[in-house]
Amino acid sequence: MKKYYSTTVQELGEQVNAFKGAGMLIMFNENAPQELREYCILHRGNKLEDTVQPGDILKLGDTSYKVVFVGNQVQKNLKDLGHITLRFNANKDGESLEGSLYLEEKPVADVAPGDEIAIYRP
């Protein structure tokens, strides 16, 4: 597999786990606006080298998820701001929220500072 995106978790906002219970996580690079920080996984080293596509694999710490659907602003937002929403629902409702990356439906992994978030092309 070819890794084409990598970043490192720096900090978890106080409300990250509230969203985890709803099957989603919000990512933002470490210079996120103050009003959003408490809801986000804050990360550093936002390196994107290819286009995110269905069928790719997102790895959150040690857990892998297949990418099911890519919102039309994911590429730009991820590259420019490190800001996307990870949705762990297999897009079963047919949503297409612009800044969301829809992943297979399985339990949301715990994430901690120092963990890598990466995307691979199989």
Side-chain angles (χ1 to χ4, degrees), residues 4-63:
Y4 66 88
Y5 176 77
S6 178
T7 192
T8 304
V9 175
Q10 298 300 307
E11 181 182 338
L12 299 177
E14 295 173 10
Q15 298 298 319
V16 165
N17 285 332
F19 286 101
K20 182 179 168 187
M24 62 188 238
L25 294 172
I26 302 169
M27 295 174 52
F28 216 120
N29 65 23
E30 62 186 343
N31 64 357
Q34 191 60 41
E35 62 272 15
L36 299 178
R37 295 179 73 82
E38 69 181 290
Y39 305 105
C40 297
I41 295 172
L42 302 166
H43 60 93
R44 177 187 303 158
N46 194 51
K47 186 175 180 185
L48 179 64
E49 299 175 340
D50 206 337
T51 303
V52 184
Q53 300 175 35
D56 290 349
I57 304 297
L58 179 128
K59 194 166 182 190
L60 187 61
D62 292 328
T63 306

Side-chain angles (χ1 to χ4, degrees), residues 11 16 19-20 31 40 65 68-69 79-80 85 112 120:
E11 181 182 338
V16 165
F19 286 101
K20 182 179 168 187
N31 64 357
C40 297
Y65 301 87
V68 174
F69 181 82
K79 183 177 182 180
D80 295 348
T85 300
Y120 295 83

